[in-house]
Amino acid sequence: RDLVRSRGLGDVYKRQTDSGGPVNLRSYPSAQGQVIVQIPNGSTVTVFGRYRGWYVVLYGDALGYANSAFIQL
């Protein structure tokens, strides 16, 4: 199955990358998805699940997809 739940529905994690730059929260799980908001490094996000290498993420009141390579669980 392509849809995999995180450790628990609604788990809260810190967003971390080695680059230190922001990561884009997108409207759908693709680099072509519209950018909803940029998530600064070290921000807290809520992860609801995973789909094909993308996490379903809530940041503030924005819900979208973030590339899983940029979310540290």
Side-chain angles (χ1 to χ4, degrees):
R1 246 172 89 170
D2 291 328
L3 184 60
V4 179
R5 294 175 84 174
S6 65
R7 294 179 197 166
L9 187 61
D11 288 350
V12 177
Y13 297 101
K14 290 255 185 204
R15 206 243 7 123
Q16 296 284 114
T17 65
D18 292 334
S19 68
V23 68
N24 294 324
L25 186 66
R26 298 187 178 272
S27 59
Y28 61 92
S30 167
Q32 287 72 44
Q34 179 181 1
V35 176
I36 299 168
V37 67
Q38 289 192 321
I39 304 170
N41 193 33
S43 297
T44 301
V45 299
T46 303
V47 175
F48 291 104
R50 184 175 177 171
Y51 179 77
R52 294 186 180 182
W54 294 78
Y55 286 124
V56 180
V57 170
L58 179 67
Y59 174 66
D61 61 354
L63 181 65
Y65 295 88
N67 190 308
S68 62
F70 300 111
I71 306 290
Q72 180 181 2
L73 300 184

